[in-house]
Amino acid sequence: AQSVTQLGSHVSVSEGALVLLRCNYSSSVPPYLFWYVQYPNQGLQLLLKYTSAATLVKGINGFEAEFKKSETSFHLTKPSAHMSDAAEYFCAVSVNSGNTPLVFGKGTRLSVIA
Amino acid sequence: DAGVIQSPRHEVTEMGQEVTLRCKPISGHDYLFWYRQTMMRGLELLIYFNNNVPIDDSGMPEDRFSAKMPNASFSTLKIQPSEPRDSAVYFCASSARRDNSPLHFGNGTRLTVT
């Protein structure tokens, strides 16, 4: 069975600083990996996804993530944090066999300090 | 498209009462998922449907929970009788019939059972 671990339930960065949110996965077969963002009182929105094409995936709002099989990681980064990036971020994994439900990590809350 | 629509947005009820949450998926999506989000457990998959048929309900916590999908454009999640520990945000999500297609989430129903 697949699983996801997000390191750090809360990350705080200064505006303009690098954002790094960590995600490690466990899967016995090649995975699909996703990052979702949740703003207050809203549902989750897709930021980006990895589907075995390019290992560096670019998403919306300047975010990107790199798939590293050797490290079983899919960390999310953004070079310069903006106040509007403050939200909860979820990493999720699925397997390469149809519409298997996503398994989500517990989430990381990102705070951006002015 | 209007996206996934959930109702009500907020529900406050007393312990022992029946609660019904509603969801309208995105037109053309073949998969529908019900998730529950709490601080302690994060996002938990309760049940999912494919072409209106329940595929996996192993996440439904107890027999007090039931879900139906009578047609492609409507699903309900019912809790009877409700208990304070059922207090959470309940999300409905839908996706198209394609491998690795992303989930589209509704804005959730915040349930409070007193």
Side-chain angles (χ1 to χ4, degrees):
Chain A
Q2 61 271 25
S3 65
V4 165
T5 302
Q6 292 184 241
L7 297 177
S9 59
H10 187 203
V11 170
S12 185
V13 301
S14 298
E15 191 174 20
L18 171 72
V19 176
L20 171 60
L21 304 182
R22 300 177 186 274
C23 171
N24 288 89
Y25 70 90
S26 172
S27 177
S28 57
V29 296
Y32 293 134
L33 293 160
F34 304 77
W35 276 98
Y36 283 80
V37 61
Q38 183 181 29
Y39 298 103
N41 300 315
Q42 294 185 25
L44 282 69
Q45 304 170 35
L46 181 68
L47 263 182
L48 50 82
K49 65 179 182 181
Y50 165 76
T51 59
S52 76
T55 57
L56 182 63
V57 181
K58 293 187 184 299
I60 61 173
N61 302 336
F63 284 93
E64 62 182 35
E66 185 173 9
F67 173 71
K68 292 188 177 180
K69 184 178 179 180
S70 61
E71 299 178 5
T72 61
S73 69
F74 190 58
H75 302 331
L76 182 70
T77 60
K78 182 174 180 178
S80 177
H82 192 272
M83 297 297 288
S84 60
D85 295 327
E88 186 110 18
Y89 291 80
F90 293 88
C91 184
V93 63
S94 181
V95 294
N96 187 14
S97 60
N99 275 295
T100 310
L102 291 180
V103 175
F104 286 89
K106 298 228 176 212
T108 298
R109 178 172 298 176
L110 175 66
S111 297
V112 182
I113 304 167
Chain B
D1 201 313
V4 176
I5 299 172
Q6 291 186 248
S7 64
R9 287 299 309 273
H10 302 274
E11 177 80 42
V12 180
T13 190
E14 292 183 346
M15 182 174 63
Q17 296 298 306
E18 177 179 298
V19 175
T20 299
L21 311 181
R22 298 173 175 79
C23 175
K24 176 179 169 55
I26 292 174
S27 177
H29 281 188
D30 293 336
Y31 285 80
L32 184 139
F33 305 80
W34 282 101
Y35 285 88
R36 178 171 68 177
Q37 185 178 37
T38 60
M39 289 289 290
M40 292 298 293
R41 297 188 175 190
L43 269 168
E44 303 173 276
L45 177 66
L46 300 177
I47 184 172
Y48 79 99
F49 296 82
N50 177 212
N51 291 325
N52 314 336
V53 176
I55 303 301
D56 185 354
D57 65 355
S58 60
M60 298 284 262
E62 300 172 32
D63 291 345
R64 299 183 296 105
F65 286 70
S66 63
K68 294 182 180 180
M69 192 165 186
N71 57 61
S73 59
F74 184 65
S75 177
T76 60
L77 178 67
K78 185 176 293 186
I79 308 173
Q80 166 62 20
S82 58
E83 297 182 2
R85 60 189 166 132
D86 301 331
S87 297
V89 181
Y90 291 81
F91 287 102
C92 176
S94 68
S95 70
R97 182 179 170 79
R98 285 192 307 274
D99 284 356
N100 70 70
S101 57
L103 293 182
H104 295 261
F105 282 79
N107 283 330
T109 295
R110 182 176 296 277
L111 173 64
T112 302
V113 183
T114 61

Short mmCIF file of all heavy atoms in Angstrom, two decimals, chain B residues 86-107:
data_model
loop_
_atom_site.label_atom_id
_atom_site.label_comp_id
_atom_site.label_asym_id
_atom_site.label_seq_id
_atom_site.Cartn_x
_atom_site.Cartn_y
_atom_site.Cartn_z
N ASP B 86 -18.38 13.12 15.37
CA ASP B 86 -18.54 13.23 13.91
C ASP B 86 -18.26 14.65 13.42
O ASP B 86 -18.23 14.90 12.21
CB ASP B 86 -19.97 12.84 13.49
CG ASP B 86 -20.33 11.43 13.91
OD1 ASP B 86 -19.41 10.58 14.01
OD2 ASP B 86 -21.52 11.18 14.15
N SER B 87 -18.09 15.56 14.33
CA SER B 87 -17.81 16.96 13.96
C SER B 87 -16.52 17.01 13.15
O SER B 87 -15.47 16.53 13.58
CB SER B 87 -17.69 17.83 15.21
OG SER B 87 -18.90 17.85 15.93
N ALA B 88 -16.62 17.60 11.96
CA ALA B 88 -15.50 17.63 11.01
C ALA B 88 -15.94 18.43 9.80
O ALA B 88 -17.08 18.89 9.71
CB ALA B 88 -15.12 16.21 10.58
N VAL B 89 -15.02 18.58 8.85
CA VAL B 89 -15.38 19.12 7.54
C VAL B 89 -15.43 17.95 6.58
O VAL B 89 -14.48 17.17 6.48
CB VAL B 89 -14.37 20.17 7.05
CG1 VAL B 89 -14.81 20.71 5.68
CG2 VAL B 89 -14.25 21.31 8.05
N TYR B 90 -16.54 17.83 5.89
CA TYR B 90 -16.74 16.73 4.95
C TYR B 90 -16.63 17.29 3.52
O TYR B 90 -17.32 18.24 3.16
CB TYR B 90 -18.11 16.08 5.17
CG TYR B 90 -18.18 15.34 6.47
CD1 TYR B 90 -18.42 16.02 7.67
CD2 TYR B 90 -17.97 13.96 6.52
CE1 TYR B 90 -18.44 15.33 8.88
CE2 TYR B 90 -18.01 13.27 7.72
CZ TYR B 90 -18.23 13.96 8.90
OH TYR B 90 -18.25 13.28 10.09
N PHE B 91 -15.74 16.67 2.75
CA PHE B 91 -15.52 17.10 1.37
C PHE B 91 -16.01 16.05 0.39
O PHE B 91 -15.82 14.85 0.60
CB PHE B 91 -14.03 17.34 1.11
CG PHE B 91 -13.49 18.58 1.75
CD1 PHE B 91 -12.73 18.51 2.91
CD2 PHE B 91 -13.72 19.82 1.18
CE1 PHE B 91 -12.22 19.65 3.50
CE2 PHE B 91 -13.22 20.97 1.77
CZ PHE B 91 -12.47 20.88 2.93
N CYS B 92 -16.58 16.53 -0.66
CA CYS B 92 -16.89 15.71 -1.82
C CYS B 92 -15.93 16.11 -2.93
O CYS B 92 -15.57 17.29 -3.07
CB CYS B 92 -18.34 15.97 -2.24
SG CYS B 92 -18.86 15.12 -3.73
N ALA B 93 -15.48 15.14 -3.71
CA ALA B 93 -14.58 15.42 -4.82
C ALA B 93 -14.97 14.52 -5.99
O ALA B 93 -15.50 13.42 -5.79
CB ALA B 93 -13.13 15.17 -4.43
N SER B 94 -14.71 14.99 -7.21
CA SER B 94 -14.97 14.16 -8.37
C SER B 94 -13.79 14.19 -9.32
O SER B 94 -12.96 15.10 -9.25
CB SER B 94 -16.25 14.60 -9.09
OG SER B 94 -16.09 15.88 -9.69
N SER B 95 -13.70 13.17 -10.16
CA SER B 95 -12.63 13.14 -11.16
C SER B 95 -13.12 12.42 -12.41
O SER B 95 -14.08 11.64 -12.37
CB SER B 95 -11.37 12.47 -10.62
OG SER B 95 -11.55 11.09 -10.46
N ALA B 96 -12.43 12.70 -13.52
CA ALA B 96 -12.80 12.11 -14.80
C ALA B 96 -12.22 10.71 -14.90
O ALA B 96 -11.33 10.31 -14.17
CB ALA B 96 -12.28 12.98 -15.93
N ARG B 97 -12.73 9.97 -15.87
CA ARG B 97 -12.28 8.60 -16.04
C ARG B 97 -10.98 8.58 -16.83
O ARG B 97 -10.95 8.25 -18.00
CB ARG B 97 -13.36 7.79 -16.78
CG ARG B 97 -13.02 6.33 -16.96
CD ARG B 97 -14.13 5.58 -17.68
NE ARG B 97 -13.74 4.25 -18.07
CZ ARG B 97 -13.70 3.22 -17.26
NH1 ARG B 97 -14.04 3.38 -16.02
NH2 ARG B 97 -13.33 2.03 -17.69
N ARG B 98 -9.90 8.95 -16.18
CA ARG B 98 -8.58 8.89 -16.79
C ARG B 98 -7.58 8.62 -15.69
O ARG B 98 -7.72 9.12 -14.57
CB ARG B 98 -8.22 10.23 -17.44
CG ARG B 98 -8.90 10.53 -18.74
CD ARG B 98 -8.24 11.70 -19.42
NE ARG B 98 -8.12 12.86 -18.56
CZ ARG B 98 -9.09 13.76 -18.41
NH1 ARG B 98 -10.23 13.61 -19.03
NH2 ARG B 98 -8.91 14.80 -17.62
N ASP B 99 -6.56 7.84 -16.00
CA ASP B 99 -5.49 7.64 -15.04
C ASP B 99 -4.90 8.98 -14.64
O ASP B 99 -4.75 9.86 -15.46
CB ASP B 99 -4.38 6.77 -15.65
CG ASP B 99 -4.80 5.32 -15.71
OD1 ASP B 99 -5.88 5.01 -15.21
OD2 ASP B 99 -4.03 4.52 -16.25
N ASN B 100 -4.58 9.13 -13.42
CA ASN B 100 -3.92 10.28 -12.81
C ASN B 100 -4.65 11.60 -13.01
O ASN B 100 -4.08 12.66 -12.85
CB ASN B 100 -2.46 10.41 -13.28
CG ASN B 100 -2.28 10.83 -14.73
OD1 ASN B 100 -2.57 11.96 -15.11
ND2 ASN B 100 -1.81 9.93 -15.56
N SER B 101 -5.92 11.54 -13.37
CA SER B 101 -6.67 12.79 -13.47
C SER B 101 -6.86 13.37 -12.07
O SER B 101 -7.07 12.63 -11.12
CB SER B 101 -8.01 12.56 -14.14
OG SER B 101 -8.74 11.59 -13.44
N PRO B 102 -6.77 14.68 -11.94
CA PRO B 102 -6.81 15.27 -10.60
C PRO B 102 -8.21 15.24 -10.01
O PRO B 102 -9.21 15.14 -10.72
CB PRO B 102 -6.35 16.71 -10.84
CG PRO B 102 -6.74 16.99 -12.25
CD PRO B 102 -6.55 15.69 -12.99
N LEU B 103 -8.27 15.33 -8.71
CA LEU B 103 -9.53 15.46 -8.01
C LEU B 103 -9.95 16.93 -8.00
O LEU B 103 -9.12 17.82 -7.84
CB LEU B 103 -9.40 15.00 -6.56
CG LEU B 103 -9.14 13.52 -6.30
CD1 LEU B 103 -9.09 13.25 -4.81
CD2 LEU B 103 -10.21 12.67 -6.95
N HIS B 104 -11.25 17.14 -8.16
CA HIS B 104 -11.82 18.46 -8.02
C HIS B 104 -12.68 18.45 -6.77
O HIS B 104 -13.64 17.68 -6.70
CB HIS B 104 -12.65 18.82 -9.25
CG HIS B 104 -11.84 18.92 -10.50
ND1 HIS B 104 -11.41 20.13 -11.01
CD2 HIS B 104 -11.36 17.97 -11.33
CE1 HIS B 104 -10.71 19.91 -12.11
NE2 HIS B 104 -10.66 18.60 -12.33
N PHE B 105 -12.32 19.30 -5.81
CA PHE B 105 -13.00 19.31 -4.52
C PHE B 105 -14.09 20.37 -4.46
O PHE B 105 -13.94 21.47 -5.03
CB PHE B 105 -12.01 19.58 -3.40
CG PHE B 105 -11.17 18.39 -3.00
CD1 PHE B 105 -10.08 18.01 -3.76
CD2 PHE B 105 -11.48 17.66 -1.87
CE1 PHE B 105 -9.31 16.92 -3.40
CE2 PHE B 105 -10.72 16.57 -1.49
CZ PHE B 105 -9.64 16.19 -2.27
N GLY B 106 -15.15 20.06 -3.71
CA GLY B 106 -16.09 21.07 -3.31
C GLY B 106 -15.53 21.88 -2.15
O GLY B 106 -14.43 21.59 -1.66
N ASN B 107 -16.28 22.87 -1.71
CA ASN B 107 -15.81 23.72 -0.61
C ASN B 107 -16.08 23.12 0.77
O ASN B 107 -15.73 23.71 1.78
CB ASN B 107 -16.45 25.10 -0.70
CG ASN B 107 -15.79 25.95 -1.78
OD1 ASN B 107 -14.62 25.79 -2.07
ND2 ASN B 107 -16.56 26.83 -2.40
#
